[in-house]
Amino acid sequence: MGPELRIILFLIAAFGFAYVAVYPRLGVQRLGALLAYDAVISAVVFLCIAVAYAGQGLSFVMLGLPLPWWAFTVLAGVVIETPFYFWFCTRHGIDPWGQDIDD
């Protein structure tokens, strides 16, 4: 299994667990709370991947472009997390575009 696949599987597992198990148990009902928790989860995920790949000199490829580990992680994370985000917002009645962030 290549490093790209490992990162992708880790991101799917981490964000899937957060959106399916953690956030509902925390009772997240507002976009502000969701974004705050998501920032923490994203930072932990990024740190875990950094421990594994920073300084290794590996080149990651996305859409034919060679990328450093951090760029691959950020881009893959956005692509993987977006469906979880919209699913969670729809399921819990949160406006995903931020209209209720100050309520």
Side-chain angles (χ1 to χ4, degrees):
M1 178 180 344
E4 290 96 345
L5 184 56
R6 286 185 191 151
I7 289 176
I8 288 169
L9 291 175
F10 183 73
L11 290 169
I12 291 170
F15 288 128
F17 181 70
Y19 279 95
V20 173
V22 175
Y23 296 163
R25 289 210 172 117
L26 292 174
V28 175
Q29 297 290 330
R30 297 184 57 239
L31 185 59
L34 176 62
L35 296 177
Y37 287 126
D38 196 56
V40 172
I41 295 290
S42 296
V44 169
V45 165
F46 193 80
L47 180 63
C48 291
I49 293 171
V51 167
Y53 294 106
Q56 297 294 321
L58 297 173
S59 179
F60 296 83
V61 179
M62 181 180 281
L63 300 174
L65 297 171
L67 299 170
W69 69 268
W70 57 268
F72 180 86
T73 300
V74 169
L75 292 173
V78 168
V79 169
I80 290 168
E81 185 179 6
T82 299
F84 285 116
Y85 170 78
F86 282 107
W87 170 81
F88 185 86
C89 287
T90 301
R91 182 173 171 96
H92 294 277
I94 299 170
D95 179 9
W97 304 107
Q99 300 301 320
D100 63 352
I101 200 163
D102 292 326
D103 290 345

